[in-house]
Amino acid sequence: MKITKKIGIAVLIVFGIGQFFRPEKNSGDVTLVESFEAETNVPENVKHILRATCYDCHSNNTNYPWYNAITPVNFWLNSHIEEGKEHFNVSKWEGLAAGRKDHKLDELIEEVEEGEMPLSSYKIVHGNARLSQEDITAIINWATLARVKYGLASKPE
Protein backbone atom coordinates (compact mmCIF):
# COMPACT_ATOMS: atom_id res chain seq x y z
CA MET A 1 0.00 0.00 0.00
CA LYS A 2 1.40 3.38 -0.96
CA ILE A 3 2.21 5.88 1.79
CA THR A 4 -0.26 8.40 0.34
CA LYS A 5 -3.09 5.91 0.56
CA LYS A 6 -2.16 5.02 4.15
CA ILE A 7 -2.08 8.69 5.13
CA GLY A 8 -5.47 9.23 3.45
CA ILE A 9 -7.02 6.32 5.32
CA ALA A 10 -5.53 7.54 8.61
CA VAL A 11 -6.92 11.05 8.04
CA LEU A 12 -10.38 9.63 7.28
CA ILE A 13 -10.30 7.51 10.44
CA VAL A 14 -9.23 10.47 12.60
CA PHE A 15 -11.89 12.66 10.95
CA GLY A 16 -14.54 9.99 11.56
CA ILE A 17 -13.60 9.55 15.22
CA GLY A 18 -13.51 13.36 15.62
CA GLN A 19 -17.22 13.53 14.79
CA PHE A 20 -17.98 12.03 18.21
CA PHE A 21 -16.31 14.95 20.01
CA ARG A 22 -18.10 18.28 20.02
CA PRO A 23 -17.93 21.46 22.06
CA GLU A 24 -20.87 22.38 24.26
CA LYS A 25 -23.53 24.42 22.47
CA ASN A 26 -24.11 28.05 23.36
CA SER A 27 -27.75 28.12 24.40
CA GLY A 28 -29.19 30.07 27.28
CA ASP A 29 -32.10 32.22 28.36
CA VAL A 30 -33.46 34.26 25.44
CA THR A 31 -35.16 36.68 27.85
CA LEU A 32 -31.72 38.06 28.75
CA VAL A 33 -31.31 39.32 25.18
CA GLU A 34 -34.78 40.80 25.33
CA SER A 35 -33.86 42.49 28.63
CA PHE A 36 -30.82 44.09 26.97
CA GLU A 37 -33.00 45.31 24.11
CA ALA A 38 -35.58 46.76 26.49
CA GLU A 39 -33.03 48.49 28.74
CA THR A 40 -31.16 50.05 25.82
CA ASN A 41 -34.40 50.86 23.97
CA VAL A 42 -33.41 49.14 20.73
CA PRO A 43 -35.64 50.22 17.82
CA GLU A 44 -37.17 47.46 15.69
CA ASN A 45 -34.91 48.07 12.69
CA VAL A 46 -31.79 47.81 14.89
CA LYS A 47 -33.16 44.70 16.67
CA HIS A 48 -33.32 43.02 13.27
CA ILE A 49 -29.72 44.02 12.51
CA LEU A 50 -28.42 42.89 15.92
CA ARG A 51 -30.24 39.57 15.69
CA ALA A 52 -28.87 38.91 12.20
CA THR A 53 -25.31 40.08 12.79
CA CYS A 54 -24.37 40.14 16.47
CA TYR A 55 -26.19 37.80 18.83
CA ASP A 56 -24.78 34.52 17.50
CA CYS A 57 -21.39 35.44 19.00
CA HIS A 58 -22.33 38.13 21.52
CA SER A 59 -25.07 36.44 23.55
CA ASN A 60 -25.72 33.10 25.23
CA ASN A 61 -27.97 32.09 22.31
CA THR A 62 -26.44 30.97 19.03
CA ASN A 63 -28.38 29.87 15.96
CA TYR A 64 -26.02 27.26 14.60
CA PRO A 65 -25.60 26.68 10.87
CA TRP A 66 -25.76 23.15 9.44
CA TYR A 67 -21.98 22.91 9.14
CA ASN A 68 -21.64 23.18 12.92
CA ALA A 69 -22.25 19.41 12.93
CA ILE A 70 -18.82 18.86 11.38
CA THR A 71 -15.73 18.53 13.55
CA PRO A 72 -13.35 20.50 13.47
CA VAL A 73 -15.56 23.33 12.13
CA ASN A 74 -17.66 23.27 15.31
CA PHE A 75 -14.56 23.88 17.45
CA TRP A 76 -13.56 26.80 15.22
CA LEU A 77 -17.06 28.31 15.52
CA ASN A 78 -17.05 27.72 19.27
CA SER A 79 -13.78 29.64 19.63
CA HIS A 80 -15.33 32.62 17.80
CA ILE A 81 -18.38 32.50 20.05
CA GLU A 82 -16.34 32.27 23.25
CA GLU A 83 -14.11 35.15 22.17
CA GLY A 84 -17.11 37.26 21.15
CA LYS A 85 -18.84 36.70 24.49
CA GLU A 86 -15.62 37.53 26.31
CA HIS A 87 -15.58 41.01 24.74
CA PHE A 88 -19.31 41.77 24.72
CA ASN A 89 -22.13 39.54 25.95
CA VAL A 90 -25.61 41.05 25.90
CA SER A 91 -26.87 38.13 28.00
CA LYS A 92 -24.84 39.48 30.93
CA TRP A 93 -25.85 43.10 30.42
CA GLU A 94 -27.94 43.38 33.60
CA GLY A 95 -24.94 42.54 35.80
CA LEU A 96 -22.76 45.37 34.46
CA ALA A 97 -22.28 48.72 36.17
CA ALA A 98 -23.46 51.84 34.28
CA GLY A 99 -19.89 52.89 33.46
CA ARG A 100 -19.11 49.46 32.04
CA LYS A 101 -22.29 49.53 29.94
CA ASP A 102 -21.30 52.91 28.57
CA HIS A 103 -17.83 51.58 27.72
CA LYS A 104 -19.26 48.49 25.98
CA LEU A 105 -21.57 50.62 23.85
CA ASP A 106 -18.67 52.93 23.02
CA GLU A 107 -16.63 49.89 21.90
CA LEU A 108 -19.59 48.67 19.84
CA ILE A 109 -19.76 52.03 18.05
CA GLU A 110 -16.03 51.98 17.36
CA GLU A 111 -15.99 48.40 16.05
CA VAL A 112 -18.95 49.01 13.73
CA GLU A 113 -17.60 52.36 12.48
CA GLU A 114 -14.23 50.81 11.66
CA GLY A 115 -15.83 47.81 9.92
CA GLU A 116 -14.29 45.37 12.41
CA MET A 117 -17.68 43.90 13.30
CA PRO A 118 -19.12 41.64 12.19
CA LEU A 119 -15.99 39.65 11.46
CA SER A 120 -15.11 39.07 7.81
CA SER A 121 -15.16 35.30 8.36
CA TYR A 122 -18.72 35.57 9.72
CA LYS A 123 -19.88 37.66 6.76
CA ILE A 124 -18.51 35.12 4.29
CA VAL A 125 -21.02 32.48 5.36
CA HIS A 126 -23.76 34.81 6.61
CA GLY A 127 -24.65 37.06 3.70
CA ASN A 128 -27.30 38.82 5.76
CA ALA A 129 -24.58 39.96 8.19
CA ARG A 130 -23.18 42.51 5.74
CA LEU A 131 -23.96 45.98 7.07
CA SER A 132 -25.05 48.69 4.69
CA GLN A 133 -24.17 52.30 5.45
CA GLU A 134 -27.79 52.73 6.54
CA ASP A 135 -27.41 49.81 9.00
CA ILE A 136 -24.17 51.25 10.37
CA THR A 137 -25.78 54.66 10.87
CA ALA A 138 -28.81 53.10 12.60
CA ILE A 139 -26.61 51.10 14.99
CA ILE A 140 -24.39 54.08 15.81
CA ASN A 141 -27.38 56.39 16.38
CA TRP A 142 -29.08 53.86 18.65
CA ALA A 143 -25.90 53.09 20.65
CA THR A 144 -25.10 56.79 21.05
CA LEU A 145 -28.59 57.44 22.45
CA ALA A 146 -28.32 54.38 24.70
CA ARG A 147 -25.03 55.70 26.12
CA VAL A 148 -26.76 58.91 27.19
CA LYS A 149 -29.02 56.83 29.43
CA TYR A 150 -26.01 55.88 31.51
CA GLY A 151 -25.07 59.53 31.97
CA LEU A 152 -21.50 59.02 30.88
CA ALA A 153 -21.53 59.65 27.14
CA SER A 154 -20.89 63.37 27.40
CA LYS A 155 -18.28 63.32 30.15
CA PRO A 156 -15.36 65.74 29.63
CA GLU A 157 -12.29 64.31 27.90
Side-chain angles (χ1 to χ4, degrees):
M1 198 184 283
K2 292 184 178 180
I3 190 76
T4 309
K5 192 172 184 180
K6 287 180 182 180
I7 291 172
I9 291 170
V11 168
L12 284 174
I13 290 170
V14 169
F15 182 77
I17 292 171
Q19 302 313 303
F20 294 102
F21 301 95
R22 300 173 188 270
E24 187 175 327
K25 287 208 172 188
N26 183 44
S27 58
D29 189 354
V30 177
T31 61
L32 296 173
V33 170
E34 293 165 353
S35 175
F36 162 78
E37 291 173 346
E39 183 179 325
T40 59
N41 198 27
V42 182
E44 285 302 316
N45 64 324
V46 176
K47 279 182 191 178
H48 175 73
I49 297 166
L50 295 176
R51 290 174 182 174
T53 63
C54 304
Y55 292 162
D56 279 347
C57 294
H58 294 286
S59 78
N60 290 343
N61 301 298
T62 300
N63 292 316
Y64 288 95
W66 66 268
Y67 50 84
N68 185 64
I70 303 168
T71 300
V73 174
N74 49 20
F75 283 96
W76 177 70
L77 289 173
N78 190 58
S79 70
H80 274 114
I81 294 165
E82 292 301 315
E83 185 177 348
K85 287 178 12 179
E86 185 178 308
H87 292 286
F88 184 63
N89 186 349
V90 299
S91 297
K92 293 188 175 183
W93 189 254
E94 287 183 350
L96 299 176
R100 191 83 174 126
K101 290 176 180 181
D102 177 66
H103 178 71
K104 290 296 180 185
L105 289 170
D106 186 43
E107 286 180 335
L108 181 147
I109 292 167
E110 183 179 329
E111 293 290 319
V112 170
E113 275 182 332
E114 294 176 358
E116 298 294 322
M117 284 290 139
L119 293 175
S120 297
S121 58
Y122 187 80
K123 291 185 282 191
I124 289 170
V125 291
H126 295 90
N128 63 338
R130 299 179 200 286
L131 298 178
S132 67
Q133 188 55 52
E134 183 180 318
D135 295 340
I136 292 168
T137 301
I139 291 169
I140 291 169
N141 289 343
W142 155 74
T144 301
L145 281 173
R147 287 186 69 201
V148 171
K149 177 180 180 173
Y150 302 108
L152 303 169
S154 60
K155 64 183 174 190
E157 296 287 321

